[in-house]
Amino acid sequence: MIIFGIILSVLYVLGIVSAFHAVIYNRTSQGAIAWALSLISFPFIAVPAYWVFGRRKFEGYVLARKRVLEDFDDVPANLIANIQSFILPQEQRNPSIHAAELMARVPLVTGNRCELLIDGEATFASIFAGIDSAEKYVLVQFYIVRPDGLGNRLKDKLKAKANAGVKVFFLYDELGSVGIGKSYISELQAAGVVVHPFNTRKGIHNWFQVNFRNHRKVVVVDGQTAWIGGHNVGDEYLGKDDKIGPWRDTHVKISGAAALAAQVSFLEDFRWAADYFPELSWQVEVDHKDDQPVLIIPTGPADDMDTALLMFTHIVNSAKSRVWISTPYFVPDESVILALQLARLRGIDVRVIIPQVPDSLPTYFAAYSFFDELVASGVEFYRYQTGFTHEKVLLIDNSLSAIGTANFDNRSFRLNFEITALIGGDEFANDVEAMFESGFGQSIKMQKDDYANKSIWFKFAVNASRLMSPVL
């Protein structure tokens, strides 16, 4: 009993210390209050939970990013010098993305060709063709990599390029790719591929850190072409999972100066994972006449601000006629809810496509908690019926599109490393519009009483899930 009393006393002391830490360092008052009350009231549960899930900043990565600038200050300088001719004059820039540009590592650049890639077959056919064409190096980064049919095809492509003397660098998130297997990695390494997990828990201060995930999906070939979007590497992304059925997802292929911005994002992640920098090209070799402006915005828990949250809130607030959103997980921050409500009250066409069939019950239930207040404002929600939709796409007005890895939830806004391509231009926006129209045609519009008619147990699950929304 004495030992139990000592342990309990230590836990209560740790609870008080942790509550003090939560009040000082938590970014939101709701989060600070929730953690403080839990830590003081139930320290035996809340203390370990707080030190695993309560952190909002990835301090180790912040220091690693500073080394990028201190140790390799010639890289940013050379990069800016090489892309100078592709930077749009201030008067020609879209004011809707001006604030977003201040958050990016590399400014808005023109001279790009962008190709919308809808669903897995088109996306991986394009990525594999790009890998086949590589002459200098290939950079590959995915959140999930499975050792299945698609995963093995990727492995074979990378092995073949490495055997041909092309440098290949491969990053994966060790939590997302928990089933990748040692043999998969060993085969790549035996062929000369440089393989590293992102290694979120690296360093003595990060041993219990599992809340931050590198959710980026980026492929860069020779510094000239980049692929960014929602696809991970697994057969389900080709629609081959019998339980889920067809898988709707979207990537974008970017050829031109903006590919170097995607390369900067990969370089920072690689520096953290591997503790060194690979030698890469920073020259722009444009061989087309397209002139699409693109801004690449990497976001994550090492940023000084909640960059993803600010970016999405800003572009919604900047809309003049339309905000169309497609996301698999709709568990947004209160500021985003207010931005969507205000947009609709300004007369803007606000529509959101979400899945009919969820792959995560907590996020499915949590999303319902936001529907009533938004539908009452006139926001339209569509439930996608043809399998599962995993794409992360926004269409703002008639000339601004956003395609990337960030979901419309607090985890992507604050906890995950994400990357988004903001693409200007009417022609590309027309392609995205056509994709949305197809999605609406395969969806059922939600009605005002959809939630009201649910059972009391469903509503309990909805409200309980909303309490967990900061970490979903």
Side-chain angles (χ1 to χ4, degrees), residues 143-201:
Y143 173 60
I144 295 174
V145 180
R146 304 196 194 282
D148 56 14
L150 182 61
N152 287 326
R153 286 168 61 193
L154 174 64
K155 178 183 65 179
D156 292 342
K157 291 285 183 183
L158 299 182
K159 287 169 57 180
K161 295 311 292 187
N163 287 328
V166 174
K167 296 179 181 178
V168 181
F169 302 92
F170 182 86
L171 283 179
Y172 65 94
D173 184 275
E174 64 273 23
L175 293 177
S177 301
V178 65
I180 191 172
K182 293 182 179 179
S183 63
Y184 190 99
I185 295 170
S186 297
E187 280 192 54
L188 287 171
Q189 290 174 330
V193 177
V194 179
V195 182
H196 288 282
F198 180 64
N199 209 358
T200 304
R201 297 171 60 245

Short mmCIF file of all heavy atoms in Angstrom, two decimals, residues 143-201:
data_model
loop_
_atom_site.label_atom_id
_atom_site.label_comp_id
_atom_site.label_asym_id
_atom_site.label_seq_id
_atom_site.Cartn_x
_atom_site.Cartn_y
_atom_site.Cartn_z
N TYR A 143 3.65 8.32 -47.27
CA TYR A 143 3.22 8.03 -45.90
C TYR A 143 3.01 6.53 -45.71
O TYR A 143 3.49 5.93 -44.76
CB TYR A 143 1.93 8.80 -45.60
CG TYR A 143 1.29 8.46 -44.28
CD1 TYR A 143 1.97 8.67 -43.08
CD2 TYR A 143 0.00 7.94 -44.22
CE1 TYR A 143 1.39 8.37 -41.86
CE2 TYR A 143 -0.59 7.63 -43.00
CZ TYR A 143 0.11 7.84 -41.83
OH TYR A 143 -0.47 7.54 -40.63
N ILE A 144 2.30 5.91 -46.64
CA ILE A 144 2.04 4.47 -46.58
C ILE A 144 2.69 3.79 -47.78
O ILE A 144 2.47 4.21 -48.93
CB ILE A 144 0.53 4.16 -46.58
CG1 ILE A 144 -0.13 4.71 -45.32
CG2 ILE A 144 0.28 2.65 -46.71
CD1 ILE A 144 -1.65 4.57 -45.33
N VAL A 145 3.47 2.77 -47.52
CA VAL A 145 4.00 1.91 -48.57
C VAL A 145 3.73 0.47 -48.16
O VAL A 145 4.19 0.02 -47.10
CB VAL A 145 5.52 2.12 -48.78
CG1 VAL A 145 6.03 1.19 -49.89
CG2 VAL A 145 5.82 3.57 -49.13
N ARG A 146 2.98 -0.24 -48.97
CA ARG A 146 2.66 -1.64 -48.66
C ARG A 146 3.45 -2.56 -49.58
O ARG A 146 3.62 -2.27 -50.77
CB ARG A 146 1.16 -1.89 -48.85
CG ARG A 146 0.27 -0.98 -48.02
CD ARG A 146 -1.14 -1.53 -47.94
NE ARG A 146 -2.08 -0.55 -47.45
CZ ARG A 146 -2.23 -0.20 -46.17
NH1 ARG A 146 -1.47 -0.77 -45.25
NH2 ARG A 146 -3.12 0.70 -45.81
N PRO A 147 3.91 -3.71 -49.07
CA PRO A 147 4.65 -4.66 -49.90
C PRO A 147 3.72 -5.57 -50.70
O PRO A 147 3.83 -6.80 -50.66
CB PRO A 147 5.45 -5.46 -48.87
CG PRO A 147 4.57 -5.45 -47.65
CD PRO A 147 3.86 -4.12 -47.65
N ASP A 148 2.77 -4.95 -51.43
CA ASP A 148 1.81 -5.72 -52.21
C ASP A 148 2.11 -5.53 -53.70
O ASP A 148 3.24 -5.17 -54.07
CB ASP A 148 0.37 -5.29 -51.86
CG ASP A 148 0.14 -3.79 -52.03
OD1 ASP A 148 0.99 -3.12 -52.67
OD2 ASP A 148 -0.88 -3.28 -51.55
N GLY A 149 1.12 -5.73 -54.56
CA GLY A 149 1.36 -5.64 -55.99
C GLY A 149 1.91 -4.29 -56.42
O GLY A 149 2.95 -4.22 -57.10
N LEU A 150 1.24 -3.20 -56.03
CA LEU A 150 1.71 -1.86 -56.40
C LEU A 150 3.03 -1.54 -55.73
O LEU A 150 3.94 -0.98 -56.36
CB LEU A 150 0.66 -0.81 -56.03
CG LEU A 150 1.00 0.62 -56.41
CD1 LEU A 150 1.18 0.76 -57.92
CD2 LEU A 150 -0.07 1.59 -55.91
N GLY A 151 3.15 -1.90 -54.46
CA GLY A 151 4.40 -1.64 -53.75
C GLY A 151 5.58 -2.34 -54.38
O GLY A 151 6.68 -1.79 -54.48
N ASN A 152 5.37 -3.57 -54.84
CA ASN A 152 6.46 -4.31 -55.48
C ASN A 152 6.81 -3.73 -56.85
O ASN A 152 7.97 -3.76 -57.27
CB ASN A 152 6.08 -5.79 -55.59
CG ASN A 152 6.14 -6.49 -54.24
OD1 ASN A 152 6.97 -6.16 -53.39
ND2 ASN A 152 5.24 -7.45 -54.04
N ARG A 153 5.80 -3.22 -57.54
CA ARG A 153 6.09 -2.56 -58.82
C ARG A 153 6.97 -1.33 -58.59
O ARG A 153 7.92 -1.07 -59.35
CB ARG A 153 4.79 -2.16 -59.51
CG ARG A 153 4.03 -3.33 -60.12
CD ARG A 153 2.63 -2.92 -60.53
NE ARG A 153 2.64 -1.85 -61.54
CZ ARG A 153 1.55 -1.15 -61.86
NH1 ARG A 153 0.40 -1.41 -61.27
NH2 ARG A 153 1.63 -0.21 -62.79
N LEU A 154 6.66 -0.54 -57.55
CA LEU A 154 7.49 0.62 -57.23
C LEU A 154 8.90 0.17 -56.86
O LEU A 154 9.89 0.76 -57.33
CB LEU A 154 6.87 1.40 -56.07
CG LEU A 154 7.71 2.57 -55.54
CD1 LEU A 154 7.89 3.64 -56.61
CD2 LEU A 154 7.08 3.16 -54.28
N LYS A 155 9.00 -0.86 -56.05
CA LYS A 155 10.31 -1.37 -55.64
C LYS A 155 11.14 -1.78 -56.85
O LYS A 155 12.33 -1.43 -56.95
CB LYS A 155 10.12 -2.56 -54.69
CG LYS A 155 11.41 -3.20 -54.24
CD LYS A 155 11.13 -4.42 -53.37
CE LYS A 155 10.45 -5.52 -54.17
NZ LYS A 155 10.18 -6.73 -53.35
N ASP A 156 10.53 -2.48 -57.77
CA ASP A 156 11.26 -2.93 -58.97
C ASP A 156 11.72 -1.75 -59.81
O ASP A 156 12.84 -1.77 -60.37
CB ASP A 156 10.38 -3.86 -59.79
CG ASP A 156 10.12 -5.20 -59.10
OD1 ASP A 156 10.88 -5.53 -58.16
OD2 ASP A 156 9.16 -5.89 -59.48
N LYS A 157 10.89 -0.72 -59.94
CA LYS A 157 11.28 0.47 -60.69
C LYS A 157 12.49 1.14 -60.06
O LYS A 157 13.45 1.54 -60.75
CB LYS A 157 10.12 1.45 -60.75
CG LYS A 157 8.93 1.02 -61.58
CD LYS A 157 9.23 1.13 -63.07
CE LYS A 157 8.01 0.77 -63.90
NZ LYS A 157 8.31 0.81 -65.36
N LEU A 158 12.46 1.28 -58.74
CA LEU A 158 13.55 1.96 -58.04
C LEU A 158 14.83 1.13 -58.09
O LEU A 158 15.94 1.69 -58.26
CB LEU A 158 13.15 2.25 -56.59
CG LEU A 158 11.92 3.17 -56.41
CD1 LEU A 158 11.66 3.41 -54.94
CD2 LEU A 158 12.10 4.49 -57.15
N LYS A 159 14.71 -0.16 -57.96
CA LYS A 159 15.89 -1.03 -58.05
C LYS A 159 16.52 -0.93 -59.44
O LYS A 159 17.75 -0.85 -59.57
CB LYS A 159 15.50 -2.48 -57.76
CG LYS A 159 15.20 -2.77 -56.29
CD LYS A 159 14.56 -4.13 -56.10
CE LYS A 159 15.38 -5.26 -56.66
NZ LYS A 159 14.75 -6.57 -56.46
N ALA A 160 15.68 -0.92 -60.47
CA ALA A 160 16.20 -0.86 -61.83
C ALA A 160 16.97 0.45 -62.08
O ALA A 160 18.04 0.45 -62.69
CB ALA A 160 15.06 -0.99 -62.83
N LYS A 161 16.43 1.56 -61.56
CA LYS A 161 17.13 2.84 -61.76
C LYS A 161 18.43 2.89 -60.98
O LYS A 161 19.46 3.39 -61.47
CB LYS A 161 16.23 4.01 -61.36
CG LYS A 161 15.00 4.19 -62.21
CD LYS A 161 15.29 4.19 -63.71
CE LYS A 161 16.08 5.38 -64.18
NZ LYS A 161 16.19 5.43 -65.66
N ALA A 162 18.40 2.36 -59.75
CA ALA A 162 19.63 2.34 -58.94
C ALA A 162 20.69 1.46 -59.61
O ALA A 162 21.87 1.82 -59.65
CB ALA A 162 19.32 1.84 -57.53
N ASN A 163 20.28 0.34 -60.14
CA ASN A 163 21.23 -0.54 -60.84
C ASN A 163 21.79 0.10 -62.10
O ASN A 163 22.89 -0.24 -62.55
CB ASN A 163 20.54 -1.87 -61.19
CG ASN A 163 20.34 -2.76 -59.97
OD1 ASN A 163 21.14 -2.73 -59.04
ND2 ASN A 163 19.27 -3.54 -59.98
N ALA A 164 21.03 1.04 -62.67
CA ALA A 164 21.49 1.74 -63.87
C ALA A 164 22.38 2.94 -63.54
O ALA A 164 22.80 3.66 -64.45
CB ALA A 164 20.28 2.20 -64.68
N GLY A 165 22.65 3.17 -62.26
CA GLY A 165 23.53 4.24 -61.85
C GLY A 165 22.85 5.54 -61.49
O GLY A 165 23.51 6.54 -61.19
N VAL A 166 21.52 5.54 -61.49
CA VAL A 166 20.76 6.72 -61.07
C VAL A 166 20.65 6.71 -59.55
O VAL A 166 20.36 5.67 -58.95
CB VAL A 166 19.37 6.73 -61.72
CG1 VAL A 166 18.52 7.88 -61.19
CG2 VAL A 166 19.48 6.83 -63.24
N LYS A 167 20.87 7.87 -58.91
CA LYS A 167 20.74 7.96 -57.46
C LYS A 167 19.25 7.91 -57.08
O LYS A 167 18.43 8.62 -57.67
CB LYS A 167 21.35 9.26 -56.95
CG LYS A 167 22.85 9.35 -57.17
CD LYS A 167 23.39 10.68 -56.67
CE LYS A 167 24.89 10.79 -56.91
NZ LYS A 167 25.42 12.11 -56.45
N VAL A 168 18.92 7.08 -56.10
CA VAL A 168 17.54 6.94 -55.67
C VAL A 168 17.48 7.10 -54.15
O VAL A 168 18.21 6.42 -53.42
CB VAL A 168 16.95 5.57 -56.07
CG1 VAL A 168 15.50 5.47 -55.61
CG2 VAL A 168 17.06 5.35 -57.57
N PHE A 169 16.62 8.01 -53.69
CA PHE A 169 16.44 8.28 -52.27
C PHE A 169 14.98 8.02 -51.92
O PHE A 169 14.08 8.53 -52.58
CB PHE A 169 16.83 9.72 -51.94
CG PHE A 169 18.24 10.06 -52.32
CD1 PHE A 169 18.53 10.60 -53.57
CD2 PHE A 169 19.29 9.82 -51.44
CE1 PHE A 169 19.84 10.91 -53.94
CE2 PHE A 169 20.60 10.12 -51.79
CZ PHE A 169 20.87 10.67 -53.04
N PHE A 170 14.77 7.24 -50.84
CA PHE A 170 13.43 6.75 -50.52
C PHE A 170 13.13 7.02 -49.05
O PHE A 170 13.86 6.56 -48.16
CB PHE A 170 13.37 5.25 -50.81
CG PHE A 170 12.04 4.60 -50.59
CD1 PHE A 170 11.07 4.60 -51.57
CD2 PHE A 170 11.76 3.97 -49.39
CE1 PHE A 170 9.84 3.97 -51.37
CE2 PHE A 170 10.54 3.35 -49.17
CZ PHE A 170 9.58 3.34 -50.16
N LEU A 171 12.07 7.78 -48.79
CA LEU A 171 11.62 8.08 -47.43
C LEU A 171 10.22 7.51 -47.21
O LEU A 171 9.38 7.57 -48.11
CB LEU A 171 11.56 9.59 -47.18
CG LEU A 171 12.85 10.36 -46.95
CD1 LEU A 171 12.52 11.85 -46.76
CD2 LEU A 171 13.58 9.84 -45.72
N TYR A 172 9.97 6.99 -46.01
CA TYR A 172 8.63 6.52 -45.68
C TYR A 172 8.36 6.81 -44.21
O TYR A 172 9.29 6.92 -43.40
CB TYR A 172 8.47 5.02 -45.96
CG TYR A 172 9.35 4.14 -45.09
CD1 TYR A 172 8.87 3.59 -43.90
CD2 TYR A 172 10.67 3.86 -45.46
CE1 TYR A 172 9.68 2.78 -43.11
CE2 TYR A 172 11.48 3.06 -44.67
CZ TYR A 172 10.98 2.52 -43.49
OH TYR A 172 11.79 1.74 -42.70
N ASP A 173 7.10 6.97 -43.86
CA ASP A 173 6.73 7.18 -42.46
C ASP A 173 6.62 5.83 -41.77
O ASP A 173 5.88 4.95 -42.23
CB ASP A 173 5.39 7.93 -42.38
CG ASP A 173 5.01 8.27 -40.96
OD1 ASP A 173 4.40 7.41 -40.28
OD2 ASP A 173 5.32 9.39 -40.51
N GLU A 174 7.34 5.67 -40.67
CA GLU A 174 7.40 4.35 -40.05
C GLU A 174 6.09 3.94 -39.38
O GLU A 174 5.83 2.75 -39.18
CB GLU A 174 8.54 4.28 -39.02
CG GLU A 174 8.40 5.19 -37.82
CD GLU A 174 8.97 6.58 -38.07
OE1 GLU A 174 9.08 6.99 -39.23
OE2 GLU A 174 9.29 7.25 -37.07
N LEU A 175 5.23 4.90 -39.05
CA LEU A 175 3.93 4.56 -38.49
C LEU A 175 2.94 4.22 -39.61
O LEU A 175 2.23 3.23 -39.53
CB LEU A 175 3.40 5.72 -37.64
CG LEU A 175 4.18 6.02 -36.37
CD1 LEU A 175 3.60 7.24 -35.66
CD2 LEU A 175 4.14 4.82 -35.43
N GLY A 176 2.90 5.05 -40.65
CA GLY A 176 2.02 4.77 -41.76
C GLY A 176 2.40 3.50 -42.49
O GLY A 176 1.54 2.75 -42.98
N SER A 177 3.71 3.23 -42.59
CA SER A 177 4.21 2.06 -43.33
C SER A 177 4.67 0.96 -42.38
O SER A 177 5.67 0.29 -42.64
CB SER A 177 5.37 2.48 -44.24
OG SER A 177 4.98 3.48 -45.15
N VAL A 178 3.92 0.76 -41.31
CA VAL A 178 4.35 -0.19 -40.28
C VAL A 178 4.48 -1.61 -40.83
O VAL A 178 5.27 -2.41 -40.32
CB VAL A 178 3.35 -0.16 -39.10
CG1 VAL A 178 1.98 -0.65 -39.52
CG2 VAL A 178 3.89 -0.94 -37.90
N GLY A 179 3.76 -1.94 -41.90
CA GLY A 179 3.82 -3.30 -42.44
C GLY A 179 4.74 -3.45 -43.63
O GLY A 179 4.68 -4.48 -44.33
N ILE A 180 5.62 -2.50 -43.87
CA ILE A 180 6.45 -2.53 -45.07
C ILE A 180 7.37 -3.74 -45.10
O ILE A 180 7.65 -4.30 -46.17
CB ILE A 180 7.26 -1.22 -45.22
CG1 ILE A 180 7.90 -1.14 -46.61
CG2 ILE A 180 8.28 -1.07 -44.12
CD1 ILE A 180 8.54 0.21 -46.89
N GLY A 181 7.87 -4.16 -43.99
CA GLY A 181 8.68 -5.38 -43.92
C GLY A 181 10.16 -5.16 -44.17
O GLY A 181 10.55 -4.34 -45.00
N LYS A 182 10.99 -5.91 -43.45
CA LYS A 182 12.45 -5.77 -43.58
C LYS A 182 12.95 -6.21 -44.95
O LYS A 182 13.91 -5.63 -45.48
CB LYS A 182 13.14 -6.57 -42.47
CG LYS A 182 12.90 -6.03 -41.07
CD LYS A 182 13.65 -6.85 -40.03
CE LYS A 182 13.44 -6.30 -38.63
NZ LYS A 182 14.15 -7.12 -37.60
N SER A 183 12.34 -7.24 -45.52
CA SER A 183 12.82 -7.74 -46.80
C SER A 183 12.63 -6.71 -47.91
O SER A 183 13.47 -6.60 -48.81
CB SER A 183 12.10 -9.05 -47.16
OG SER A 183 10.72 -8.83 -47.32
N TYR A 184 11.54 -5.95 -47.85
CA TYR A 184 11.28 -4.91 -48.84
C TYR A 184 12.40 -3.88 -48.80
O TYR A 184 12.97 -3.50 -49.84
CB TYR A 184 9.93 -4.25 -48.54
CG TYR A 184 9.41 -3.31 -49.61
CD1 TYR A 184 8.47 -3.74 -50.53
CD2 TYR A 184 9.84 -1.99 -49.69
CE1 TYR A 184 7.96 -2.88 -51.51
CE2 TYR A 184 9.36 -1.13 -50.66
CZ TYR A 184 8.41 -1.58 -51.56
OH TYR A 184 7.93 -0.72 -52.53
N ILE A 185 12.73 -3.44 -47.61
CA ILE A 185 13.78 -2.43 -47.44
C ILE A 185 15.14 -3.00 -47.82
O ILE A 185 15.96 -2.34 -48.48
CB ILE A 185 13.78 -1.92 -45.99
CG1 ILE A 185 12.46 -1.19 -45.70
CG2 ILE A 185 14.97 -1.00 -45.72
CD1 ILE A 185 12.25 -0.85 -44.25
N SER A 186 15.39 -4.23 -47.42
CA SER A 186 16.68 -4.86 -47.72
C SER A 186 16.92 -4.99 -49.22
O SER A 186 18.03 -4.78 -49.70
CB SER A 186 16.76 -6.24 -47.05
OG SER A 186 16.69 -6.12 -45.65
N GLU A 187 15.87 -5.34 -49.95
CA GLU A 187 16.01 -5.46 -51.41
C GLU A 187 16.37 -4.13 -52.04
O GLU A 187 17.21 -4.05 -52.94
CB GLU A 187 14.70 -5.99 -52.00
CG GLU A 187 14.51 -7.49 -51.90
CD GLU A 187 13.35 -7.95 -52.76
OE1 GLU A 187 13.34 -7.65 -53.96
OE2 GLU A 187 12.44 -8.59 -52.21
N LEU A 188 15.72 -3.06 -51.57
CA LEU A 188 16.03 -1.73 -52.11
C LEU A 188 17.48 -1.35 -51.78
O LEU A 188 18.22 -0.87 -52.64
CB LEU A 188 15.07 -0.69 -51.52
CG LEU A 188 13.63 -0.72 -52.05
CD1 LEU A 188 12.75 0.20 -51.23
CD2 LEU A 188 13.59 -0.30 -53.52
N GLN A 189 17.88 -1.57 -50.55
CA GLN A 189 19.23 -1.20 -50.14
C GLN A 189 20.29 -2.02 -50.87
O GLN A 189 21.34 -1.49 -51.24
CB GLN A 189 19.37 -1.38 -48.63
CG GLN A 189 18.56 -0.37 -47.82
CD GLN A 189 18.59 -0.64 -46.34
OE1 GLN A 189 18.71 -1.78 -45.89
NE2 GLN A 189 18.48 0.42 -45.54
N ALA A 190 20.00 -3.29 -51.11
CA ALA A 190 20.95 -4.14 -51.82
C ALA A 190 21.18 -3.65 -53.25
O ALA A 190 22.25 -3.85 -53.82
CB ALA A 190 20.46 -5.59 -51.83
N ALA A 191 20.17 -2.99 -53.82
CA ALA A 191 20.29 -2.45 -55.18
C ALA A 191 20.95 -1.08 -55.20
O ALA A 191 21.22 -0.54 -56.28
CB ALA A 191 18.92 -2.37 -55.83
N GLY A 192 21.19 -0.51 -54.00
CA GLY A 192 21.83 0.80 -53.94
C GLY A 192 20.90 1.95 -53.65
O GLY A 192 21.31 3.12 -53.67
N VAL A 193 19.62 1.65 -53.39
CA VAL A 193 18.67 2.70 -53.03
C VAL A 193 18.94 3.14 -51.59
O VAL A 193 19.12 2.30 -50.70
CB VAL A 193 17.22 2.20 -53.17
CG1 VAL A 193 16.23 3.28 -52.73
CG2 VAL A 193 16.94 1.77 -54.60
N VAL A 194 18.96 4.46 -51.36
CA VAL A 194 19.13 5.00 -50.01
C VAL A 194 17.76 5.08 -49.36
O VAL A 194 16.89 5.82 -49.81
CB VAL A 194 19.79 6.39 -50.06
CG1 VAL A 194 19.93 6.95 -48.64
CG2 VAL A 194 21.14 6.33 -50.76
N VAL A 195 17.55 4.28 -48.31
CA VAL A 195 16.24 4.15 -47.68
C VAL A 195 16.31 4.62 -46.24
O VAL A 195 17.22 4.23 -45.49
CB VAL A 195 15.75 2.68 -47.71
CG1 VAL A 195 14.35 2.57 -47.11
CG2 VAL A 195 15.77 2.14 -49.13
N HIS A 196 15.34 5.45 -45.84
CA HIS A 196 15.25 5.90 -44.45
C HIS A 196 13.79 6.03 -44.04
O HIS A 196 12.98 6.56 -44.80
CB HIS A 196 15.93 7.26 -44.27
CG HIS A 196 17.41 7.23 -44.34
ND1 HIS A 196 18.20 6.79 -43.29
CD2 HIS A 196 18.26 7.55 -45.34
CE1 HIS A 196 19.47 6.87 -43.65
NE2 HIS A 196 19.53 7.32 -44.88
N PRO A 197 13.46 5.58 -42.82
CA PRO A 197 12.18 5.97 -42.25
C PRO A 197 12.27 7.44 -41.85
O PRO A 197 13.37 7.95 -41.61
CB PRO A 197 12.04 5.08 -41.02
CG PRO A 197 13.46 4.81 -40.62
CD PRO A 197 14.25 4.75 -41.90
N PHE A 198 11.13 8.13 -41.78
CA PHE A 198 11.16 9.53 -41.37
C PHE A 198 11.69 9.65 -39.94
O PHE A 198 12.36 10.61 -39.59
CB PHE A 198 9.78 10.16 -41.48
CG PHE A 198 9.76 11.61 -41.07
CD1 PHE A 198 10.47 12.55 -41.80
CD2 PHE A 198 9.05 12.03 -39.95
CE1 PHE A 198 10.47 13.89 -41.41
CE2 PHE A 198 9.04 13.36 -39.58
CZ PHE A 198 9.75 14.29 -40.31
N ASN A 199 11.40 8.65 -39.12
CA ASN A 199 11.99 8.56 -37.78
C ASN A 199 11.55 9.69 -36.87
O ASN A 199 12.36 10.46 -36.35
CB ASN A 199 13.53 8.52 -37.88
CG ASN A 199 14.16 7.75 -36.73
OD1 ASN A 199 13.45 7.27 -35.83
ND2 ASN A 199 15.46 7.66 -36.74
N THR A 200 10.25 9.76 -36.65
CA THR A 200 9.67 10.79 -35.78
C THR A 200 10.24 10.74 -34.37
O THR A 200 10.42 11.78 -33.73
CB THR A 200 8.14 10.60 -35.70
OG1 THR A 200 7.61 10.61 -37.02
CG2 THR A 200 7.50 11.70 -34.88
N ARG A 201 10.58 9.56 -33.87
CA ARG A 201 11.00 9.40 -32.48
C ARG A 201 12.51 9.51 -32.30
O ARG A 201 13.03 9.19 -31.25
CB ARG A 201 10.50 8.05 -31.97
CG ARG A 201 8.99 7.92 -31.95
CD ARG A 201 8.50 6.51 -31.65
NE ARG A 201 8.96 6.06 -30.35
CZ ARG A 201 9.80 5.05 -30.17
NH1 ARG A 201 10.29 4.40 -31.22
NH2 ARG A 201 10.16 4.69 -28.95
#
